[in-house]
Amino acid sequence: MKIVYFGTPDFAVESLDAIMQSRHQVCAVVTVPDRQAGRGQKVVFSPVKEYALEHHLPLLQPEKLRDEEFLNELAAYKADMFVVVAFRMLPEAVWNMPPHGTFNLHASLLPRYRGAAPINHAIINGDNETGVTTFLLNHHIDEGQILLQERTPISPNDNAGTLHDRLATIGRTLVVRTLDGIEENTITPMPQQGTPTAAPKIFKDDCYINFNLSCYQAVDFVRGLSPYPAALLTLVSPQGEEVLFKIFDVTAIPDPSATPRELICDQKKVLKIGVTDGFLQILSLQMSGKRKNNTEDFLRGNKLIGWKLAR
């Protein structure tokens, strides 16, 4: 089949590469317009654009998906199907264009975790299983009929980064299986079954550690945000300066005598914070303006005696 592929981040590169290696033909790639980033406002390409350029694929970067010129150019490719991985919501004029429709790869077992951050929320909520789903697009976000699903366990050692990479690998295989099945007419779309749950986009204010959680819930929260966007806490120095910290790796220490928001630092290798039923021992962190480090190395060069939690 002839495919137009829609995607933006690294997660989407895996599935694009898989289609390129399959019997199907990628006739064009659609990704976001170039953006300026960093202090120098350097123009940055999306990972999908970089892949498309390396493989000499026709590339579309519309500002507006309803733009008539873009729609005409898209229609000219006469694709059999559109495939969407980590892009943005498409208007009906786009997803209803190809004869076989448009399907999306989503990083959850729909209807669980509809939304922008399914990987993060699955870990934050302490789930022990997740997966990927291919489904047909319709007028509602992540609510279309399911084509195929693949499951994978979430281990206690997983964080958002490791799970992201594993789901991208599983997803690349599922995308090609879905294309094969549609071409061979061996897949029957099925309505989503079960109670939907949401996975909304995560903003900076959502990343601050809640010290009213249990120690194991707090560990899941940190895992679910590591390495990006990273759990946050703010400490106040004895001089009253507020300093932001990113927290990447922690362990739970149950202790009924712990006091929420209690900060303990022995200045050798232990830094821990009280929650409702124990302590959150910090193993890896990054102080604002500094590089990421393990706690023992960090404490060798940074004195935290007299510091307190700000929030």
Side-chain angles (χ1 to χ4, degrees), residues 245-250 265-272 281-287 290-304:
F245 287 77
K246 292 182 177 181
I247 309 300
F248 300 101
D249 191 17
V250 295
C265 177
D266 71 1
Q267 287 307 129
K268 292 182 180 179
K269 60 180 179 179
V270 176
L271 178 64
K272 57 186 182 179
Q281 182 170 336
I282 297 172
L283 305 177
S284 175
L285 73 166
Q286 183 176 11
M287 183 179 182
K290 304 285 186 178
R291 62 186 177 89
K292 179 181 176 182
N293 222 326
N294 65 65
T295 299
E296 185 173 357
D297 289 343
F298 174 83
L299 291 177
R300 286 196 186 103
N302 297 274
K303 306 297 184 182
L304 294 183

Side-chain angles (χ1 to χ4, degrees), residues 6 19 32 38-39 49 62 69 71 82 105 114 132 155 187 189 200 204 211 228 244 256-257 281 283 304-305 311:
F6 295 70
I19 299 172
V32 295
R39 293 180 180 177
K49 177 175 179 175
E69 182 179 350
L71 293 175
F82 295 165
L105 174 72
R114 293 172 176 169
V132 286
S155 82
I187 295 176
K204 182 177 179 179
F211 302 106
Y228 181 83
L244 185 68
S257 68
Q281 182 170 336
L283 305 177
L304 294 183
I305 292 176
R311 57 181 297 177

Side-chain angles (χ1 to χ4, degrees), residues 22 42 71 75 98 108 160 169 230 274:
S22 74
K42 182 180 178 181
L71 293 175
S108 80
T169 300

